[in-house]
């Protein structure tokens, strides 16, 4: 990343939160839809929605969104042993990137996604692809400094019963969350998972080196910040932080896939996905 881009990120924070960038994204919705339609990707959510939880870089035209939808979906199938009949919850589903892949794999009504970002949820709810599959989406009005600053709730439970899902997954959630919130989320993941159910979660782990773009130089209690001015932009943890939480919540690590975000040739990534990925099983 160039020095100019790094400086902009430091002072702007999340790009889509900038009113100028947001206004430009809305204008780009129409040409993006035209381009997507010519590429057979007209079913994807609109551009201004996709960039909210997926970043701006490479999102125009839908190719990157579609690529990661399939990548993450295939990781769920291969490593979480996901079957079409399984009940699936996505925590922090945004506009439904992975849900696009799952709409062609899961049986009807077997997906439930929720998020604190109402704008993204409203887009997902209206997508014909998800309506046809009877996928469910729910907004949770939980306080979040990045996506829901005016959130009414400071405490809540996941909107589901105990032992109700075969697979729970969350992508780029713990990378924008403080330790105390993660502690709560892990306990709720364990609560809603069926015994033997699996979880896929992504994060940034400090144990295997860092990258140039993401170097997490600001050490705080139990975490590391990449941008002190905008702490929730990207947060990393020591692996031991998660390991202790998993043990306390009857979650067993089945696999750890190292992501591609590091600039460390001695640590080859296990996946093209940038973040590190835990595959867990509820004992």
């Amino acid at each position: 990343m160039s020095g100019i881009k790094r400086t902009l990120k430091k002072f702007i924070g999340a790009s889509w939160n900038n009113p100028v960038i947001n206004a430009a994204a809305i204008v780009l919705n129409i040409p993006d839809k035209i381009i997507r339609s010519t590429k057979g990707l007209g079913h994807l959510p609109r551009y201004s929605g996709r960039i909210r939880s997926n970043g701006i870089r490479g999102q125009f035209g839908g190719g990157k969104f579609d690529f990661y939808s399939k990548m993450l979906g295939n990781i769920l199938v291969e490593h979480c042993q996901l079957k079409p009949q399984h009940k699936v919850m996505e925590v922090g589903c945004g506009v439904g990137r992975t849900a696009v892949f799952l709409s062609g794999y899961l049986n009807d009504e077997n997906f439930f996604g929720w998020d604190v970002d109402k704008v993204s949820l409203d887009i997902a709810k209206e997508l014909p692809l998800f309506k046809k599959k009877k996928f469910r989406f729910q907004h949770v009005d939980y306080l979040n400094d990045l996506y829901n600053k005016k959130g009414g709730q400071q405490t809540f439970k996941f909107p589901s019963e105990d032992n109700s899902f075969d697979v729970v997954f969350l992508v780029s959630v713990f990378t924008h969350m403080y330790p105390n919130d993660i502690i709560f989320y892990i306990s709720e993941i364990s609560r809603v998972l069926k015994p033997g159910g699996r979880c896929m979660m992504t994060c940034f782990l400090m144990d295997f080196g860092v990258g140039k773009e993401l170097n997490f130089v600001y050490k705080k209690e139990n975490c590391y910040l990449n941008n002190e001015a905008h702490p929730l932009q990207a947060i990393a943890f020591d692996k031991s932080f998660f390991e202790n939480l998993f043990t306390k919540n009857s979650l067993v690590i089945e696999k750890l896939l190292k992501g591609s975000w590091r600039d460390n040739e001695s640590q080859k990534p296990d996946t093209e996905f940038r973040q590190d990925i835990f595959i867990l099983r509820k004992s």
Side-chain angles (χ1 to χ4, degrees), residues 102-205:
L102 295 177
S103 67
Y105 183 80
L106 290 177
N107 294 342
D108 289 2
E109 303 182 43
N110 278 11
F111 177 88
F112 172 58
W114 63 269
D115 205 301
V116 300
D117 180 21
K118 188 175 186 300
V119 174
S120 293
L121 259 294
D122 287 344
I123 293 171
K125 286 178 180 179
E126 293 305 314
L127 210 65
L129 183 70
F130 297 147
K131 285 185 173 181
K132 181 179 179 180
K133 292 291 294 189
K134 299 180 182 178
F135 280 9
R136 296 183 298 121
F137 295 90
Q138 182 173 331
H139 174 242
V140 174
D141 190 23
Y142 180 58
L143 182 66
N144 181 277
D145 289 344
L146 190 61
Y147 286 100
N148 195 21
K149 290 184 177 181
K150 297 181 180 179
Q153 297 175 238
Q154 296 188 31
T155 59
F156 79 112
K157 293 178 67 175
F158 283 12
S160 294
E161 299 298 321
D162 296 0
N163 308 317
S164 53
F165 288 92
D166 300 285
V167 173
V168 174
F169 73 98
L170 53 169
V171 178
S172 298
V173 174
F174 291 162
T175 55
H176 306 292
M177 189 173 285
Y178 293 121
N180 284 343
D181 287 323
I182 291 177
I183 291 170
F184 166 70
Y185 271 53
I186 293 291
S187 68
E188 283 294 282
I189 287 169
S190 179
R191 180 182 67 79
V192 301
L193 266 179
K194 297 177 182 178
R198 288 178 170 84
C199 171
M200 178 185 83
M201 53 154 280
T202 74
C203 57
F204 292 117
L205 297 176

Side-chain angles (χ1 to χ4, degrees), residues 15-33:
S15 300
W16 55 265
N17 250 336
N18 181 277
V20 176
I21 293 175
N22 191 45
I26 293 173
V27 173
L28 288 172
N29 279 335
I30 294 176
D32 171 76
K33 184 176 182 179

Side-chain angles (χ1 to χ4, degrees), residues 70-83 86 101-102 105 166-169 196-202 252-258 269-273 275-282:
K70 292 173 180 174
M71 176 192 289
L72 291 164
N74 282 314
I75 290 174
L76 286 170
V77 173
E78 178 181 357
H79 296 292
C80 287
Q81 302 180 29
L82 179 65
K83 307 297 182 188
H86 282 166
F101 171 88
L102 295 177
Y105 183 80
D166 300 285
V167 173
V168 174
F169 73 98
R198 288 178 170 84
C199 171
M200 178 185 83
M201 53 154 280
T202 74
V252 178
I253 300 174
E254 289 200 326
K255 292 178 183 175
L256 171 57
L257 306 174
K258 293 190 294 294
D270 300 307
T271 171
E272 290 184 75
F273 192 69
Q275 298 169 23
D276 304 307
I277 301 175
F278 278 111
I279 305 296
L280 311 170
R281 176 178 49 82
K282 181 177 176 181

Side-chain angles (χ1 to χ4, degrees), residues 20-76:
V20 176
I21 293 175
N22 191 45
I26 293 173
V27 173
L28 288 172
N29 279 335
I30 294 176
D32 171 76
K33 184 176 182 179
I34 294 171
I35 298 282
R36 284 191 288 110
S37 296
T38 64
K39 296 162 63 176
L41 299 174
H43 58 285
L44 299 183
R46 58 181 177 264
Y47 177 75
S48 60
R50 297 199 310 273
I51 67 172
R52 291 184 68 86
S53 54
N54 299 281
I56 289 178
R57 196 182 309 172
Q59 287 298 328
F60 188 77
K64 184 177 180 180
F65 187 92
D66 182 62
F67 175 81
Y68 281 106
S69 173
K70 292 173 180 174
M71 176 192 289
L72 291 164
N74 282 314
I75 290 174
L76 286 170

Side-chain angles (χ1 to χ4, degrees), residues 80-93:
C80 287
Q81 302 180 29
L82 179 65
K83 307 297 182 188
Q85 66 271 22
H86 282 166
K87 301 291 185 181
V88 177
M89 170 192 280
E90 181 175 8
V91 178
C93 62

